[in-house]
Amino acid sequence: MSAEMLPEDLLYAENGHASDVVLTCLADGEKAIVPPALVAHVLACPTCHGHLGNAALLSLRAGEEVAHHLAAKKAHEAKLVPSPYLALAAGLLLAILGALPRLATLPEDALSFGKSMVEGGPSFVRTASHGMVELGHASEQGRLVASIAAGALLLAVAAALARRAARAQAS
Amino acid sequence: MLAALFEKAETLVARPVTPDPAFEGEVAALRPLVRAVVASVLREPHDHPDVEDVTQEALRRAVEGKSRPTGPARPWLLGVARHVALDLIRARRRDRARFEDGVPDAPESASTLLIERIADPGHGAVESLLETERRARVMRALAILPEGTRSALELFHGEGLAYAQIAARLEVPLGTVATWVTRGRKAIADALSEEDAASSKPTEPRRTP
Ligand SMILES: [Zn+2]
């Protein structure tokens, strides 16, 4: 099996030296696609050898520039990923609507649950239930604050998760 | 001067933990390319003794040093060679400044400046600013390249694919890939040399027919 080589018309420049394409190939380590006689010429000919050095330096510099370009492109694309604000807002609204009936009766529910535990449960449950009764009383006043704080926390966590998922999908 | 420079470097380069024959073979195969890069940076003929010395030193550092390339060996090794050659140039400049204080340097040609620019991005505040501008020009040049040319460059430099693999990926002949890569490089070199072209434009008024 013979490996594919550069076509003849790309091998030589008009002045008889190696073409820029050949010098680029050699600079990029693609020696196998250049005829061996031409490789030997480039290494022995002062003109071609000088151009090979320049081509290799340019290859090195181009690699650095392209890496920078790719990194900038990736960063730009990550910035362009839209935050799913609309979906988040809709989800949050739905969650609040669903929780509304429960939020309205939450202190009463906690109180009655706590009381039933104090009256009928084992001793360690009773101790814990006193805490729930206290919580129930406290939540009478802090209900609104607690609801808002919980909502904000939910929103923050959801936003972070959604953004991370969108970025992962984009990359 | 070379001996002193390399002696100093000796103390900085750690000895290898274990020899790696495969890597050493790869480095040895790249010797002609390393020599070409060194000659280009030093602006000396390829048979100049300094070219041989710096080539030898670059290969020694590559093989005996602790660090190894994380990707392909070629760009890494050429980077080492460029670094060693630039060290020698800086040492030469320091010596020249010491012994020929007050003698102005000979003017440099545009092509020499371009090679210097490609070889050494430069240091210092002014050079950093110029380098940022150069980089912005290169970014613009890359952005307006035809799709095939840009893809070929990105696949070669970004993904480390060989020309044959790029040809298969983009479904084009090998010669087309080689031509695209060459054109892309030319565009990058042009973007880097724009500043020189601007500064060396003729100042005489245009003749009217
Ligand atoms: Zn030649």
Side-chain angles (χ1 to χ4, degrees):
Chain A
M1 192 189 87
S2 68
E4 199 182 346
M5 304 286 277
L6 276 181
E8 288 268 330
D9 59 317
L10 292 179
L11 299 181
Y12 290 94
E14 279 173 12
N15 55 14
H17 290 291
S19 68
D20 285 347
V21 172
V22 163
L23 294 167
T24 302
C25 290
L26 294 180
D28 284 349
E30 296 281 343
K31 195 174 149 187
I33 66 171
V34 179
L38 187 50
V39 176
H41 166 83
V42 170
L43 297 181
C45 165
T47 305
C48 287
H49 193 269
H51 290 157
L52 175 64
N54 296 346
L57 273 177
L58 183 57
S59 168
L60 194 58
R61 183 69 195 261
E64 291 157 1
E65 297 296 344
V66 171
H68 193 269
H69 163 76
L70 289 174
K73 202 161 101 173
K74 204 172 174 184
H76 183 65
E77 279 167 2
K79 254 190 219 167
L80 287 182
V81 171
S83 287
Y85 291 123
L86 193 66
L88 279 174
L92 188 70
L93 186 69
L94 208 63
I96 291 171
L97 285 175
L100 268 181
R102 187 74 192 164
L103 284 175
T105 60
L106 184 64
E108 292 79 15
D109 289 348
L111 273 172
S112 68
F113 179 70
K115 273 177 190 163
S116 70
M117 281 291 118
V118 170
E119 283 157 13
S123 63
F124 73 91
V125 177
R126 264 179 267 153
T127 314
S129 300
H130 279 298
M132 286 199 71
V133 174
E134 292 302 315
L135 183 72
H137 283 302
S139 66
E140 290 270 24
Q141 290 88 33
R143 188 172 61 191
L144 188 63
V145 176
S147 303
I148 291 170
L153 186 67
L154 179 71
L155 184 65
V157 171
L161 285 176
R163 201 159 166 74
R164 175 174 283 201
R167 270 189 187 162
Q169 202 176 8
S171 65
Chain B
M1 182 168 61
L2 265 179
L5 181 74
F6 295 160
E7 227 166 69
K8 191 181 158 202
E10 188 88 26
T11 58
L12 299 173
V13 179
R15 292 282 155 195
V17 183
T18 47
D20 183 348
F23 176 71
E24 284 170 27
E26 206 176 347
V27 166
L30 287 165
R31 187 190 180 95
L33 206 50
V34 169
R35 176 186 271 272
V37 163
V38 169
S40 193
V41 175
L42 296 182
R43 282 179 263 149
E44 300 285 6
H46 68 293
D47 53 358
H48 191 280
D50 280 358
V51 172
E52 177 53 34
D53 288 348
V54 173
T55 301
Q56 195 62 35
E57 174 60 13
L59 297 176
R60 189 193 67 75
R61 281 196 203 182
V63 171
E64 295 182 5
K66 250 186 184 172
S67 66
R68 287 285 181 269
T70 48
R74 187 191 54 86
W76 177 83
L77 180 60
L78 297 187
V80 172
R82 179 178 63 178
H83 181 81
V84 179
L86 286 171
D87 272 353
L88 178 62
I89 285 184
R90 290 185 194 114
R92 276 178 177 177
R93 278 186 188 151
R94 278 195 300 274
D95 278 14
R96 204 167 52 196
R98 204 176 301 143
F99 295 116
E100 299 171 17
D101 201 20
V103 179
D105 286 343
E108 299 189 89
S109 70
S111 64
T112 303
L113 279 171
L114 173 61
I115 292 305
E116 205 166 66
R117 185 149 302 156
I118 290 170
D120 185 12
H123 306 282
V126 176
E127 266 304 311
S128 298
L129 188 67
L130 290 173
E131 185 55 19
T132 307
E133 285 171 14
R134 268 171 224 145
R135 177 148 279 168
R137 282 203 304 275
V138 173
M139 292 295 116
R140 284 196 293 275
L142 285 171
I144 58 167
L145 281 178
E147 181 62 33
T149 306
R150 191 173 53 248
S151 297
L153 280 180
E154 287 178 356
L155 290 171
F156 181 77
H157 291 297
E159 293 191 25
L161 297 189
Y163 282 17
Q165 292 171 306
I166 298 172
R169 175 83 72 91
L170 300 180
E171 296 177 342
V172 293
L174 188 67
T176 304
V177 172
T179 308
W180 280 346
V181 173
T182 306
R183 281 188 197 149
R185 296 274 167 76
K186 173 87 170 49
I188 292 175
D190 287 348
L192 287 168
S193 65
E194 248 174 48
E195 198 180 311
D196 304 328
S199 60
S200 63
K201 265 181 190 161
T203 49
E204 72 228 35
R206 239 176 232 205
R207 279 181 213 144
T208 46

